[in-house]
Amino acid sequence: HRVYRAVVRKGGWAMQAELEVPGGYPETAPIFSLTLLKEGPRPSLTPAGLQVGADPKALSAAAAARQAGEATDNALRAMEEEINVFAKDDAKKAGCPPAQLLVYQLWVLLHCASIYMDVEGGATVAARPHRGRDRRLPFLYSADANANSQRP
């Protein structure tokens, strides 16, 4: 196994990806683990709907956990899922040669990180920016519709 580190930056945001390339690559896909290193600028107005009825102690505990570098962001786990679970099949469907799976996964990382940083920064990237209880972001790109959407 070989371990590599990549840092993706956009605006004031920075995200680190640690990837482990197994000895059996490309038969066995690389595994990515994501960490948000630096949060960029966010909209000046916090969406009130996200905090209505929330316990102030819980909000401050979550903020402290984020400051300590703990994983509190479901979007990072969803990005890992896109890269680690879905990318191999998606690459095959797109006609990507097996030896280029890592390149495809890196493209998925850049695509997902860009969407995450744009949405968290207040940009509109899709008609429906979030979906479901975990507020899943639209990481899935549809070339036919030329739009991003959430995975079903």
Side-chain angles (χ1 to χ4, degrees), residues 5-82:
R5 184 173 297 139
V7 176
V8 178
R9 298 180 201 285
K10 184 174 184 181
W13 295 82
M15 180 183 300
Q16 176 178 289
E18 288 191 8
L19 52 139
E20 181 180 339
V21 181
Y25 175 79
E27 288 79 27
T28 305
I31 301 294
F32 285 67
S33 177
L34 305 176
T35 306
L36 188 61
L37 297 176
K38 182 180 175 192
E39 289 190 14
R42 292 182 183 263
S44 58
L45 298 174
T46 304
L50 295 178
Q51 296 183 6
V52 170
D55 181 357
K57 291 180 184 176
L59 291 174
S60 64
R66 280 193 301 278
Q67 288 291 341
E70 295 178 26
T72 60
D73 196 335
N74 287 340
L76 294 178
R77 303 298 75 85
M79 282 187 271
E80 288 175 352
E81 183 180 26
E82 286 293 328

Side-chain angles (χ1 to χ4, degrees), residues 61-149:
R66 280 193 301 278
Q67 288 291 341
E70 295 178 26
T72 60
D73 196 335
N74 287 340
L76 294 178
R77 303 298 75 85
M79 282 187 271
E80 288 175 352
E81 183 180 26
E82 286 293 328
I83 298 165
N84 295 329
V85 177
F86 299 117
K88 188 171 184 177
D89 287 339
D90 290 347
K92 190 175 184 178
K93 289 176 192 172
C96 180
Q100 293 182 357
L101 174 60
L102 179 57
V103 174
Y104 187 86
Q105 286 178 303
L106 287 168
W107 178 85
V108 172
L109 167 66
L110 293 175
H111 174 77
C112 290
S114 179
I115 290 172
Y116 172 78
M117 293 171 188
D118 285 347
V119 169
E120 292 298 315
T124 302
V125 297
R128 185 176 180 182
H130 297 93
R131 178 176 155 223
R133 288 189 335 198
D134 62 352
R135 300 186 47 78
R136 188 170 288 271
L137 293 172
F139 293 132
L140 186 62
Y141 177 73
S142 169
D144 295 335
N146 192 26
N148 292 314
S149 66

